[in-house]
Amino acid sequence: MITSQLKRIAFVVPEINEDTRSQAAGICQVASPRNGFVVRDFVAPEHDPLQPALYAWQPHAIITYVANERLCEFDPMLAAGVPVVNTARGKPSERLAIVVADAQDLYDHVHRVFGALRVRQTWQVVFGEELGPFSTQARYLKYTRQRGVPFHSQWVADLFEDCAPYEFEEVDPAVASWLLSLRKPVGIFSQHIYAGYYIARCCELLGIQVPTEVAIIGTDSLHLAKASNPPVTSIRAPTIEIGREAARLAIQMIEGARAPNDIVVVQGMTMLARASTGAAPKADCDIDAALGYIERYACDALKVNSLLSETQSVSRVTFHKHFLQATGVTPAQAIQQRRMGEARRLLTESQMSPSSIAGLCGYTDYMHFYRVFRKVEGVSPQQYRNLAK
């Protein structure tokens, strides 16, 4: 029987976006009330202290997605014996586990694409990151040495600490000098959010042609990647499986296990090719359009048939196949995950009634919402709210 004695797992992220929602969905698939756990999201923006509500909630474990230099913020929790699982690169310890996507897989994608484009050099951009043994620069250096390929890496200051990515209209002189001096055609990639958009915008302002002079691959969110001019090719991490693995480790550590000595690597990177690497707009399956439409309209009673008719020009079978291949879930599952994530958020962050929340999440029939929520979470919406307090 579900009781208030469920183990509490906090999911702490800098922001809520499609990737963190997907990771949360994976966590909740493993750590659900039916399995004796309740998960609650906490947002901890960069340069802001952790929410007092996080400490007040007294989680039994924390899963987070923060840069290595921010892990010190969790020292009080670690000292109190609360295990932490970080889904960004760092150094494991007795109570700190690290679960990340396979960077080698990402680099293989990058070099395969840039090799086909016959660029003269491949450059990595390290965007505002603190350099060190667990930095993306260190990982890429190790990869190039293993593969016997030239290593080129450029550190760029994070210019978006005090402004939105869309607001800058002038290129930093150091970045401009570097971009203009490169032997073209050149390929540039980054593992940092905003970096793909940033490089594309710099090229636009400097009059550098993308992709003929500079080809770009990023890991930006769907929104940023498509907002770039031209849209930036992006590599997607297997966020759902990362969430599942992080939850499995958190549960083991709650039960007394030590964190793994080594970083846990999850396979399954996928790439969405766009114009920044010369990919022409496809007339058939448009995964970008589908993902953006789900993000925007899933909670407006969106059906798969409507998603198909509004965003695609292929059959349902073809769309289903390509969507599953690109994202790891079916279109129907993606819509449900978006709705359930919003429902969990509203149940913990608002005082609205479950029936009102059902409507805001796209369910016209409360009992249907109730049954879906209970099937996914193992408890009713009201029980979830009570348990997550």
Side-chain angles (χ1 to χ4, degrees):
M1 181 175 178
I2 301 296
T3 72
S4 59
Q5 299 306 310
L6 294 183
K7 302 296 184 182
R8 298 179 295 278
I9 297 179
F11 182 45
V12 183
V13 294
E15 62 179 339
I16 300 294
N17 55 40
E18 62 262 31
D19 287 336
T20 55
R21 284 195 188 100
S22 178
Q23 195 174 133
I27 293 169
C28 292
Q29 287 174 12
V30 175
S32 65
R34 69 163 56 85
N35 297 328
F37 300 89
V38 63
V39 179
R40 180 176 169 184
D41 297 343
F42 293 88
V43 178
E46 297 285 348
H47 314 296
D48 285 354
L50 295 179
Q51 296 180 29
L54 172 63
Y55 295 98
W57 198 55
Q58 297 182 325
H60 294 88
I62 295 172
I63 299 173
T64 188
Y65 176 58
V66 297
N68 183 61
E69 53 266 27
R70 288 197 68 187
L71 285 175
C72 59
E73 298 176 31
F74 297 96
D75 284 348
M77 301 293 243
L78 288 167
V82 178
V84 176
V85 181
N86 191 26
T87 57
R89 187 66 64 143
K91 182 179 181 180
S93 63
E94 182 178 356
R95 303 296 288 172
L96 173 64
I98 305 294
V99 181
V100 295
D102 188 359
Q104 180 172 296
D105 194 9
L106 182 149
Y107 302 144
D108 284 342
H109 276 294
V110 165
H111 280 269
R112 190 179 305 117
V113 172
F114 287 160
L117 294 176
R118 300 183 181 278
V119 300
R120 291 186 174 182
Q121 294 179 333
T122 293
W123 278 81
Q124 175 198 50
V125 166
V126 179
F127 193 65
E129 181 185 36
E130 183 177 304
L131 302 182
F134 298 101
S135 66
T136 58
Q137 188 179 71
R139 279 180 276 166
Y140 184 54
L141 175 60
K142 181 179 179 180
Y143 174 90
T144 58
R145 286 175 173 172
Q146 290 174 339
R147 294 294 194 276
V149 296
F151 170 72
H152 302 289
S153 184
Q154 177 72 21
W155 186 87
V156 174
D158 184 350
L159 304 180
F160 302 141
E161 293 184 1
D162 301 314
C163 70
Y166 308 104
E167 293 177 356
F168 82 99
E169 294 294 335
E170 296 182 3
V171 182
D172 179 87
V175 176
S177 176
W178 166 65
L179 284 171
L180 292 169
S181 69
L182 294 174
R183 296 179 60 219
K184 301 173 179 68
V186 65
I188 299 176
F189 78 95
S190 181
Q191 292 159 255
H192 296 279
I193 295 174
Y194 302 136
Y197 176 91
Y198 175 72
I199 295 300
R201 179 62 175 150
C202 287
C203 289
E204 184 180 14
L205 293 171
L206 294 171
I208 298 172
Q209 299 299 307
V210 178
T212 52
E213 293 182 282
V214 174
I216 305 169
I217 297 176
T219 54
D220 296 351
S221 66
L222 171 69
H223 180 65
L224 269 182
K226 293 198 70 178
S228 302
N229 184 25
V232 172
T233 290
S234 61
I235 293 179
R236 292 174 58 90
T239 48
I240 291 178
E241 184 50 45
I242 288 173
R244 292 190 192 112
E245 185 59 33
R248 286 190 282 264
L249 282 173
I251 291 170
Q252 292 171 11
M253 293 163 68
I254 287 173
E255 295 172 348
R258 289 175 58 99
N261 292 327
D262 297 321
I263 293 172
V264 177
V265 175
V266 177
Q267 307 288 331
M269 289 281 195
T270 57
M271 189 175 76
L272 295 176
R274 301 187 182 95
S276 71
T277 54
K282 292 186 177 180
D284 51 7
C285 218
D286 192 340
I287 303 301
D288 275 350
L291 290 170
Y293 206 81
I294 289 171
E295 179 72 14
R296 181 174 295 181
Y297 296 114
C299 294
D300 291 342
L302 178 63
K303 304 294 185 184
V304 174
N305 283 341
S306 298
L307 174 66
L308 183 66
S309 64
E310 291 291 333
T311 67
Q312 308 299 312
S313 58
V314 296
S315 71
R316 182 171 178 136
V317 172
T318 299
F319 173 54
H320 185 284
K321 174 185 174 183
H322 285 282
F323 191 93
L324 179 62
Q325 194 174 54
T327 67
V329 295
T330 67
Q333 288 171 330
I335 292 170
Q336 180 177 285
Q337 286 177 0
R338 175 72 176 90
R339 289 177 176 174
M340 289 296 101
E342 184 67 4
R344 289 191 297 268
R345 184 185 72 80
L346 291 172
L347 285 166
T348 56
E349 295 182 8
S350 79
Q351 297 302 314
M352 287 185 289
S353 68
S355 59
S356 296
I357 290 172
L360 291 173
C361 293
Y363 294 90
T364 56
D365 180 352
Y366 174 69
M367 288 310 299
H368 180 49
F369 167 72
Y370 179 95
R371 287 191 294 270
V372 172
F373 191 93
R374 190 176 183 90
K375 181 178 179 181
V376 171
E377 299 296 337
V379 293
S380 71
Q382 186 60 53
Q383 285 175 316
Y384 180 88
R385 168 174 278 168
N386 295 338
L387 294 167
K389 286 181 178 178

